[in-house]
Amino acid sequence: MWIVTQFLIAAVGVSLALYLYVCANPSSRANLFLGSLAQTGTRVLLLVAHPDDECMFFGPTALQLSAIADVHAVSVSNGNFDGLGSVREKEFVESCKVLGLRPGRVSVWDHESMPDGMNVWWKEDDIAAAVGKYVLENQIEIVITFDKYGISGHPNHRAVFAGVRRLLQQPVFMKKVKAYSLVSVPLLRKFISLLDLFPTLVMHFRHSLRFKARLYETRTAEEVKLLHTNRVDKERILFLSTPSEMWKARRAMICHASQLVWFRHLYLVFSRYMVMNEVEEI
């Protein structure tokens, strides 16, 4: 038990030390964590299911990318489950402003075939068609959305991922667009805020080192190409917020006044998604 305790203390200490280093040297985040997304001027689409997803789940991503890229944000539905759709649309725009996005880059679709609902699964083809149209019209290069678990398991979140995956299967988009999904974590890790940094870093660097080790073993261009198309070795990106960015994400959530029930305030304090996002290439 003593050994375990000492290990946990050391793990927390190392995590906090690295976090403080990153906070003191914000430019180091690009070198350590952002990979190919560190390129400036890239056109990025942040695709969410409902207004408030952008700050509840994707705050670190939106804040960091809005500083270096041309970021668009789209909410597939207007969150009208409780009849507050028009209110939530306005809240979405205001929240995205706080996150650094321009109003002209923020949209809510609200298609009849994709209503907000805990028991509604949106058709993958409908999502793929809508996203594909937006991508072509706005010359989007990268799409960021939920993963297959949807963070909270919400069927709308998971359907958005399925729709983006369907889009990437179409020949016209296979080489034109890259997509990343926000990695879901177990429930315990989800609500320990900054303390989740240690397991996140371990898994992130383990993935990166494994890829580099395999890359060094390649001998031909064909082997490198095969390695990059291997699902196990898809790129992972880590977005880690500084204290000021965490405060901005909380300010963005405050814009969603219609959704600020008591447990949302607890979420703002304890959720690791207010502090860090890890996205994986789809």
Side-chain angles (χ1 to χ4, degrees), residues 169-183:
Q169 294 170 351
Q170 299 177 17
V172 68
F173 295 107
M174 280 182 176
K175 295 183 178 180
K176 188 180 184 66
V177 180
K178 289 181 70 174
Y180 296 82
S181 61
L182 181 61
V183 176

Side-chain angles (χ1 to χ4, degrees), residues 73-89:
V74 168
S75 178
V76 176
S77 81
N78 66 356
N80 197 43
F81 184 76
D82 293 319
L84 298 172
S86 59
V87 173
R88 297 192 68 185
E89 286 185 26

Side-chain angles (χ1 to χ4, degrees), residues 48-65:
V48 300
H50 316 102
D52 77 12
D53 291 344
E54 79 289 348
C55 52
M56 283 187 65
F57 305 116
F58 293 92
T61 300
L63 284 164
Q64 289 180 51
L65 287 183

